[in-house]
Structure formats: structure tokens, C-alpha cells
Amino acid sequence: MKRRMFGALVAAGLVSALIAGCGSSNTAATEAAKTAESAGTAGAESPAGTSGGAEAAAGTESAGGATAGVIWYNFADTFIANARQCLGNVAAADGTIKISDADSQNDITVQDNNFNNFLTQKPKYLVINNINNPAADSIAKTCTDNGIVAIFANTTSPSDDAFAQNENLWYVSSVSTQSGENMGNAIVEYFNTHENWDRNGNGKVDFILLQGMQTFSDTINRSSYSLAAIEGAGYELGKNIGGDDVTGVKGGDSINGVLCNFSRSEAQTNVEALIANYGDDIDCILADNDDEALGAIAALQAHGYFTDESNTIPVVGVDATVAGCESIKNGTLLETSLNNPVKLAKSIYKLMYLLEKGEAVTTESIGLDGVHVEGHKILIDYISITKDNVEEASYDINDTSF
């Protein structure tokens, strides 16, 4: 979807702070709630019966306790749908904090509207799934100026300076470098065990790099750390098919691949076009999430790939969605990384809960396996998922314990 930069607006002369989100889909035993409601403004009713209308969000306190606004970048994203549902379930079961959320529909102008609407409603907490990364510090400052606790979730972090200047600024996200390393290591393992991996015989790894959002830290890290892992294992990078050729990659480098916006359909369309021109050159496909990976696999299957071992191209993704795990089981997806939406949702809620109770936010007080606290940052580990441990890629979005 086309991204439009800063929309006009700002209520009461405030500097416009644009919201955005990160996209990463995820797995689950119960991925039943792929809620793709089209609610473009703040105050949409949260899932699982949580209080969510504009009236409930108006004011820092209500009869049921504190209020929190949540701005998701896109309800239709598989990972976001699961995290949203789980957060709503936990809030409804606990009752300490009332949730009101909004769908920005992967559109910065809509996100801008959502942000400004929440400013007028004055929730105590504002959870921001931000994609307008250059505006992160400005968003944080605007929240501070309005007495709102800002929680950046599953997105690029605000700067160290922003944290130093704002004791009410928090960050909750998975460690994206791990997902990139997992992708690269899986490709290396495949090459090490398949002598015929070099499909055009040029001695180099020619690859397709499917990216989510080029300025998003997860995209940058998944791209650079995966390629750095391949090079680090002694394989020479060849053509970045559809993107800019690179060599000597270091973790954190910004690399231009094929922009697909975490979308399965965009990935399928792009890979279809690339197969037509480079079909004999593709040694592997690295995708920023499972939706993109599945789009690539669909395009490959349409061109006769994956009928047997001789015409299989390794594809890796991220998120360990239900569909992604099914693809691992049937042998079309090589590897994915579990980005757990339940742990994201529970980490967000537990953070607000602890702040509301006046308790310290520590690794111990958050109390979730694979989640650790560094200052005002709550970081969630990835787990590499292959056919050997695919049963580990399970979680229950209806589990309300925290």
C-alpha cells in the first residue's frame, strides 16, 4: 500500500507525531482470530470483549481502572492479529487496564489520525506499533508533553537520547538480529548438505531478498544478519536478484532487496516476475516474514518447483505462523523463527500492570521465559523452527495468565 508521509494535523497546535507499525506474522495453535476489521480511527472495540470505545478511552482513569490506547499498524497482518487478540483477552480477564485500539491499515496518514485522536482522549498509556521510524523521537516527545506513557511495540526503537530524556518511554520487541542469524544459518546448513545447491554453477550464492519495510529495524537486521551469516560460513554472495548487489555484509547494514511490505500477494507477484527472468539463477530466497515466504513458495510451485528434491529451492521466513509451520511440515519452507505474539502481548500488558501497581519492571517481575529487561527495553528472544522442532512453534492466544 502506498505510504504517504506526514499528514497535516495536530490537535491544539501539537507537533504531528506519526504512527506506524511493524509487520511480522506469527504462529499459534489457536490462530483463530485473524481479525481484519476496517476500523481506521482510534477507539475501535478491542477483541475478546475488552472495553474499547471512545468513551472508555477518554481520560486516564475510568471506573474499571487505567486506560490504554493501542495503535496497530495493520489488523490484517497475521502476527498483529494474534498479538491484538491476546492483548485484548488478557486485559479483559484481568480488568486492571482497559484497552482501546485502532487499525492504521498500513497507512501513515491513517496512523497520524489515530495518534491525534488518542491524544484528545488522553489515555494513561499509548502503545505504538510504529512504522514511521524517523518520527519515533518526535512521537515519544509528544506523548511526554501530554502526560502519556509511551510504549513502542514490535517496531524500531526510539533513540538513546529519547530514552534519556523521558522516564515514561518504554520499548517492547523481539530481538530482530536473532531472526536474521537464524535465516542465514538455515541456508548455510542446507548448502552444506546439498552439493547441488549452486543452480547455475557460478560458485556464488545468487539470492532473492524479500523485505518488509526498508527503514524498519527488523527488515535491516533480517537482511544484513542473514547475509552476513552466509558469508561468514565461507560462501561468496553473488547476485541480489531484484535488488542491489552486496558483498562484505555486516550486521546492521542497510541493503536494498525486493520490497513486499510483509505481504504474501506482493511477494508472490514479485517472485513470479523474477522467476521469468532469473529462474535458473535462484539459489535461495530469504523472506522477512512467513507471509512473504509463502508467497514466494506459491510462485515457485506455479513454475513447477518443489515436485522433488532436485528442483527444490530453499526458502526461509520469520514468525512461525500456523501456515508457515504447515509449510515446514510439507517440506516447502526450510526454516522460520518463532516470533511469539502471546509473549509480545503479555509483555506489553505486564509492563503496564507493573507500572500501574508502582512495581519495578525487571526480568523477574515480567516473569516470561525468553523475555529479558534492559533498562526501559523489554526484549523477546526468537526460536529457530525447522522440521526437527516444529512442535515447539505453538502458543495459545486465549491463555490469559501473565
Side-chain angles (χ1 to χ4, degrees):
M1 184 175 292
K2 189 194 313 189
R3 291 194 214 306
R4 296 184 290 273
M5 299 307 291
F6 283 71
L9 37 270
V10 131
L14 296 172
V15 177
S16 180
L18 296 166
I19 325 339
C22 85
S24 269
S25 298
N26 236 27
T27 147
T30 55
E31 196 171 5
K34 215 172 169 184
T35 49
E37 295 123 84
S38 56
T41 57
E45 184 176 342
S46 224
T50 51
S51 179
E55 293 181 3
T60 59
E61 301 294 334
S62 71
T67 58
V70 183
I71 302 172
W72 298 110
Y73 99 98
N74 191 353
F75 285 0
D77 182 290
T78 310
F79 175 78
I80 295 303
N82 283 318
R84 176 185 179 233
Q85 182 72 28
C86 182
L87 180 59
N89 291 342
V90 172
D94 176 62
T96 301
I97 299 160
K98 289 182 176 290
I99 301 292
S100 177
D101 66 6
D103 181 7
S104 293
Q105 302 170 13
N106 202 17
D107 187 304
I108 285 179
T109 299
V110 177
Q111 292 171 351
D112 197 22
N113 291 333
N114 287 333
F115 183 75
N116 284 279
N117 286 341
F118 271 124
L119 289 183
T120 65
Q121 295 167 16
K122 298 188 182 302
K124 187 169 185 178
Y125 304 95
L126 186 53
V127 180
I128 307 160
N129 184 210
N130 176 51
I131 46 174
N132 189 29
N133 301 311
D137 286 7
S138 175
I139 294 170
K141 185 178 186 304
T142 302
C143 289
T144 301
D145 293 345
N146 283 270
I148 297 171
V149 177
I151 302 170
F152 282 71
N154 204 46
T155 184
T156 298
S157 173
S159 69
D160 290 343
D161 286 344
F163 280 98
Q165 297 166 13
N166 187 351
E167 64 179 7
N168 289 320
L169 175 60
W170 294 84
Y171 177 69
V172 184
S173 190
S174 50
V175 185
S176 58
T177 57
Q178 295 174 351
S179 59
E181 290 168 348
N182 291 344
M183 295 165 71
N185 290 337
I187 293 296
V188 168
E189 176 64 20
Y190 181 90
F191 289 167
N192 287 345
T193 55
H194 292 76
E195 293 182 356
N196 62 342
W197 66 265
D198 185 6
R199 300 183 65 250
N200 63 10
N202 67 353
K204 300 178 181 180
V205 179
D206 301 307
F207 59 93
I208 295 177
L209 188 64
L210 302 178
Q211 298 182 313
M213 303 169 187
Q214 284 173 329
T215 61
F216 177 35
S217 60
D218 282 20
T219 290
I220 293 169
N221 288 333
R222 288 170 189 170
S223 298
S224 63
Y225 278 83
S226 62
L227 295 177
I230 294 170
E231 278 193 314
Y235 290 92
E236 182 180 354
L237 296 181
K239 186 169 185 58
N240 179 7
I241 299 169
D244 296 338
D245 289 342
V246 293
T247 188
V249 179
K250 299 181 295 297
D253 286 350
S254 183
I255 299 165
N256 291 324
V258 182
L259 191 63
C260 298
N261 297 301
F262 297 111
S263 165
R264 179 170 179 164
S265 61
E266 289 189 39
Q268 183 169 348
T269 298
N270 280 305
V271 173
E272 284 271 6
L274 293 174
I275 290 173
N277 294 311
Y278 302 98
D280 294 334
D281 297 322
I282 305 168
D283 296 322
C284 63
I285 298 178
L286 305 108
D288 258 10
N289 72 346
D290 285 353
D291 284 350
E292 290 180 346
L294 293 172
I297 289 168
L300 290 168
Q301 289 176 319
H303 284 264
Y305 291 91
F306 294 109
T307 58
D308 57 48
E309 184 69 19
S310 66
N311 68 353
T312 292
I313 294 176
V315 180
V316 291
V318 178
D319 288 336
T321 61
V322 168
C325 289
E326 285 302 314
S327 186
I328 283 181
K329 292 175 185 177
N330 68 34
T332 52
L333 182 63
L334 178 66
E335 188 268 350
T336 184
S337 287
L338 174 58
N339 185 14
N340 195 317
V342 170
K343 288 186 178 179
L344 175 67
K346 290 185 177 183
S347 295
I348 292 169
Y349 191 82
K350 189 64 174 289
L351 168 61
M352 295 188 291
Y353 178 90
L354 292 170
L355 294 175
E356 198 61 21
K357 300 297 183 182
E359 299 179 20
V361 180
T362 66
T363 299
E364 292 71 27
S365 63
I366 289 293
L368 295 167
D369 289 341
V371 180
H372 56 281
V373 177
E374 297 179 4
H376 277 215
K377 295 185 177 183
I378 300 172
L379 304 174
I380 305 165
D381 289 334
Y382 280 93
I383 299 173
S384 179
I385 300 297
T386 68
K387 64 181 180 181
D388 295 327
N389 69 336
V390 69
E391 70 283 349
E392 294 181 27
S394 62
Y395 49 74
D396 184 359
I397 61 175
N398 295 312
D399 176 12
T400 58
S401 63
F402 69 94

